[in-house]
Amino acid sequence: MRHRHLSTLTLALGIAVLLDVLRVWLPSVITLFGRAAETPAELLGAFALGWFLLALAAPTLVRRVGAAPVGLVAAGVLAVARLALTAQPGGPAQLWLACAGLFAGLVWLAAIAASVPRPVAGLALGLAGNAVGHALLGTEDLVWRGGVLAWSLSALLVLAFLVASAAVRRERAGARERGDAARTAAPATDAADGDAGRRVPTPGRRAWLLCGPTLLLAGQVALAPALWSAAAGTGSPDFPGLVRPGNGALPGALAVLLFLAAASFRAPARVARVLWPLALLAGSVLFVTGLLVPAYLLTAAGLGGCLALTDTTDDGPAAADGRGAAEPRAAATDERGADGGRAAVLGMLVFAVATVAYYAAYDLGYPNGWAPVATAVLVALVAATAPLRPGPTPSGAASAGPALPATVRVAALAGLTALAGLAAALHVPPAQARATTTPAAVRVAAYNIRMGFGLDGRLDVDAVARELRGADVVLLSEVDRGWWLNGGHDTLALVAGRLGMPYVFAPAADPVWGDAVLSRFPMRSGQTRRLTAHGAPTGAQALGVTLDLGGRELAVVATHLQPPPGRDPVEQAGEVAAFAGRYANGRPLVLGGDLNTEPDDPAFAEFTRSGLVDALAAARPLRTSPADDPRTQIDHVFVSPGLTATEVRAPRTEASDHLPVTLTVTLP
C-alpha cells in the first residue's frame, strides 16, 4: 500500500475511534460531571472547553518532539482508553477514561495533521464509516453494549488503528532514511541547489481547520443515524409523530451516498463554490426549523462538497533565513506541519464551543439555533475561499495527488451506502397492534428516562426496558432521538425495540428531544400542542394519542412541564389540563408524566380543578426524585372520573434520575 493511502486509512480509523470516545465523553460530562443539572452550567461548560484549550499546546509538542513519536504514543493512549471504556462503563472511571481518550485523540489529530497533506478522504471515510457502524448497531454504541460481540468489534477496530499507525511510522522512517542516503551520495552543491528549489508540502490548513466543525455538523445533522430514524416518524397531518416502518431506509442511505460522492468526486470548481456552501447553509437552517429529512440530505451533500473544495495543499518554497540561505528541509517541514496541527486543534475548539453553546441554551435560556447555522457559515466561507486547484507535488515529497484511486473511492461509496440501507432494514420499528377484545383494565407506566442514562452515567436501555416491561401503555419524558450531546442515540427506538411496542413521538425542546407514548393497543389518531414557555429555558409540549381498546377508545396525554426558574409551572399546567379536556372530548382519559410540581403546589391544583382525579392518591407520599434518595413527588398520573387506579408503585431503580410510576387503570 502506498504511503499516502496508508495515511488515509490510518486517519479514517483514528477518526472512527475518536468518535467512539466522543460519544461517551459528551454524555459523561452532562450526567457525571453535570450531576443531572446540579452543576452550574457555566462550570460544566468550562470543564468541557478546558480539555480543548489544553490541547492547543499539542502542536508545539509535535514540532519539538516530532510528529511520528507523538502521534504513535497518542494513538496508543487513545486506543487503550477506548478499550478501557468497554471494560468500565459507568461511574467516575468512565468520565476520566473518556477525558483521557479525548485529550489523546486531540494530540493525535495535531500529530497526524502535521504530516498528512490532504486529509479530506480520510476524514470523509472515517465519518461515514463510523456513522454506518452506529446505524448497524441501532445507534447503541459498542461501549455500552458489552458482551463478546462488543469486545470483538472494539478490539478489531483498535487493533487495525494501531497496526496502521505503526505501519505509517515505519514507512516514514524508511522514506527518511532513503532521502538522507540520496542527499549524502549527491554532491553538496547539487543538494543545496535541489533543496533551495524544492517546495515543501504543507498539510492543507483549510481542511484541517474544518475537521472540528465537520464532526459537529456530521454528528448532529448530516451523518446522524438517530436523526435518520427520528425523521422517519413524520406520520401524517392528522397523526403527527407516528412511526411508519421503513420510512428512514432510503433517506439515510442517500445521506451517506451524497456525502461521500460530494467529498470524493469534484464538481466543476466554479459551480461547486456556490452549490455546496448554499446546500450546507440551507440544510443547517432546515434542521433548526425541524424539517429533518431535507435538512440532513442537504447538509450531507453540502458538507461533503465543502470538504472537497478544501482538498488542496498550501505548498510553498522552502523558507529562507535572513542571509538568503535555504532553510533545512526537515525544519521547514516540521514548522509548516505544525501549522496543520494548529489548524486541526483550533477546528476542534470550534467544535467544542458550538456544541456547548447549542446545549447550554436549555439551562441558560437563549436562542440556540444560531450555533449549527454559524458553524455551517464558517465551513461555507472556508470552502468558498479555498484555491481552485490543488498545489503541485514536490519531488520526493508526500503526494498531493488524489488520496485514493477512483476505483477505491467508488467501492467505498457503494459499500457504505449499501450498509446504511441494510442498517435501516435491520432496525424496523415495531408494527401497530391489531384490535382485540376490550380489556377490563390497562397497565400504565410513566417514566422520565433521562435519555436512557442511569445515575452511573451509563446508557443502559435494558435497565429502562426492565422497569417498563408488562405495561400496556407507556408515557415517557426526556426522550432523546439524536442529541449529539448525549452521543447521538435514538433512545426511543432502542427502548421500543426491547419492549416490542410501536410509539408516537412529540418534540419539545428541539426536533429530537421530547415526549412519547408507547402502546400495545392500536393507536388511531394523535395531536400535539406546544406549551408557552413562560420564561422557562427548555420547551415543552402535550401529546395526545387515541387508543383503540377493542371497540372502545382511551385518550392518553403525555407531557413534561418545564417550570420557569424558581417558579411553579402553573401556567403550563393549565394549558395541558385544557388541552387534555378538549382532546378527550368525553372519552376516558389518562394523563401523566414528569410534571415538576408537588401535590400541594398550585400547578397540581390546575389538574384537579379541571375535573381530573389524582390516580396516585391512595399511595401517597409517592416520592420519585432523585432516584437514589427520593424526596420529591413530581411524577404524576391523572385519570378522568370513572376510571379506577390500583396497584400503584414507584419501584426503586437507578436506571434514570427519576423513579418510574406504574399502576393499573380499571375501565368503567
Side-chain angles (χ1 to χ4, degrees):
M1 182 179 288
R2 293 183 178 181
H3 176 267
R4 66 177 183 268
H5 300 160
L6 188 58
S7 296
T8 297
L9 176 62
T10 304
L11 177 57
L13 291 169
I15 289 293
V17 176
L18 177 57
L19 283 169
D20 272 3
V21 171
L22 270 172
R23 293 185 191 279
V24 178
W25 181 79
L26 287 166
S28 296
V29 170
I30 301 301
T31 59
L32 294 172
F33 186 84
R35 295 182 301 175
E38 293 180 12
T39 302
E42 297 85 353
L43 180 58
L44 187 149
F47 176 83
L49 292 176
W51 294 97
F52 293 84
L53 291 171
L54 188 61
L56 292 175
T60 302
L61 177 65
V62 170
R63 182 171 57 84
R64 292 183 177 179
V65 179
V70 171
L72 193 58
V73 171
V77 175
L78 173 60
V80 170
R82 168 63 185 82
L83 285 180
L85 285 170
T86 305
Q88 183 57 53
Q94 173 182 292
L95 172 64
W96 297 112
L97 283 171
C99 287
L102 170 69
F103 184 68
L106 295 175
V107 174
W108 170 79
L109 269 181
I112 199 167
S115 55
V116 175
R118 295 176 61 185
V120 168
L123 290 175
L125 287 176
L127 287 166
N130 185 271
V132 169
H134 201 53
L136 287 169
L137 294 169
T139 75
E140 184 182 10
D141 304 302
L142 291 172
V143 169
W144 312 110
R145 292 170 70 97
V148 175
L149 177 64
W151 271 107
S152 300
L153 293 178
S154 297
L156 183 62
L157 173 63
V158 166
L159 181 62
F161 172 51
L162 290 178
V163 169
S165 299
V168 167
R169 185 179 182 186
R170 286 195 301 271
E171 286 279 350
R172 288 174 183 163
R176 189 178 301 113
E177 290 175 1
R178 291 190 294 272
D180 290 343
R183 282 191 292 273
T184 300
T189 54
D190 292 344
D193 291 341
D195 278 346
R198 285 183 181 179
R199 297 162 63 88
V200 178
T202 303
R205 289 187 290 270
R206 291 176 184 272
W208 280 114
L209 180 62
L210 293 188
C211 177
T214 298
L215 258 64
L216 172 65
L217 292 172
Q220 189 168 350
V221 186
L223 299 177
L227 199 66
W228 306 342
S229 175
T234 53
S236 60
D238 61 333
F239 198 173
L242 175 65
V243 169
R244 301 187 185 280
N247 278 15
L250 179 60
L254 184 57
V256 175
L257 174 65
L258 290 173
F259 174 75
L260 285 176
S264 303
F265 301 97
R266 289 194 172 206
R270 298 189 186 280
V271 175
R273 278 181 182 273
V274 177
L275 176 64
W276 299 135
L278 284 181
L280 179 61
L281 293 174
S284 65
V285 171
L286 290 175
F287 169 74
V288 174
T289 60
L291 297 175
L292 298 185
V293 174
Y296 67 69
L297 290 178
L298 283 171
T299 304
L303 192 60
C306 285
L307 280 178
L309 284 170
T310 66
D311 195 16
T312 62
T313 55
D314 303 323
D315 292 340
D321 63 18
R323 299 183 300 275
E327 180 185 13
R329 181 178 178 80
T333 302
D334 287 346
E335 180 58 36
R336 292 167 69 82
D339 290 344
R342 279 189 285 270
V345 177
L346 283 173
M348 290 304 295
L349 182 59
V350 172
F351 163 88
V353 170
T355 300
V356 170
Y358 184 80
Y359 293 103
Y362 298 118
D363 288 319
L364 302 179
Y366 56 80
N368 63 356
W370 61 267
V373 174
T375 306
V377 168
L378 172 63
V379 174
L381 287 175
V382 172
T385 57
L388 287 176
R389 297 180 182 276
T393 305
S395 176
S399 172
L404 290 173
T407 53
V408 175
R409 285 176 279 159
V410 170
L413 186 152
L416 289 175
T417 301
L419 288 174
L422 174 63
L426 290 175
H427 301 284
V428 176
Q432 281 266 52
R434 295 182 179 180
T436 59
T437 56
T438 304
V442 175
R443 188 70 180 163
V444 177
Y447 198 8
N448 179 327
I449 61 172
R450 195 172 76 149
M451 294 77 70
F453 289 91
L455 290 183
D456 61 354
R458 177 182 180 182
L459 181 71
D460 194 346
V461 183
D462 289 328
V464 172
R466 278 196 300 271
E467 301 304 324
L468 301 174
R469 195 157 281 124
D472 300 310
V473 181
V474 176
L475 289 67
L476 296 182
S477 304
E478 292 194 12
V479 175
D480 173 21
R481 307 207 65 192
W483 261 18
W484 181 224
L485 191 70
N486 294 326
H489 312 103
D490 188 351
T491 312
L492 176 57
L494 291 170
V495 172
R498 279 159 169 83
L499 296 175
M501 299 176 72
Y503 55 86
V504 176
F505 172 75
D510 70 6
V512 292
W513 191 93
D515 311 295
V517 172
L518 293 75
S519 173
R520 298 194 187 282
F521 302 107
M523 294 180 281
R524 297 307 185 197
S525 62
Q527 184 178 343
T528 64
R529 189 209 192 276
R530 185 168 292 278
L531 305 181
T532 308
H534 300 289
T538 304
Q541 67 79 52
L543 166 63
V545 177
T546 301
L547 307 182
D548 181 354
L549 305 185
R552 296 189 59 184
E553 291 186 337
L554 175 67
V556 176
V557 173
T559 190
H560 180 190
L561 302 187
Q562 298 290 340
R567 292 172 51 196
D568 193 49
V570 62
E571 296 92 350
Q572 286 188 349
E575 291 178 33
V576 172
F579 166 80
R582 291 193 303 271
Y583 182 77
N585 194 26
R587 294 171 296 185
L589 169 68
V590 174
L591 181 155
D594 177 1
L595 303 185
N596 275 312
T597 186
E598 299 237 34
D600 295 330
D601 292 339
F604 190 92
E606 289 292 321
F607 293 101
T608 56
R609 187 179 297 117
S610 69
L612 294 175
V613 177
D614 177 10
L616 312 183
R620 298 203 185 277
L622 194 69
R623 300 179 177 88
T624 57
S625 178
D628 55 344
D629 183 22
R631 299 185 299 274
T632 60
Q633 305 177 68
I634 58 176
D635 299 274
H636 305 289
V637 176
F638 293 92
V639 295
S640 56
L643 300 185
T644 304
T646 58
E647 300 178 333
V648 177
R649 296 179 59 240
R652 296 297 293 266
T653 175
E654 296 187 1
S656 169
D657 58 342
H658 287 240
L659 298 181
V661 172
T662 64
L663 65 156
T664 298
V665 176
T666 303
L667 302 176

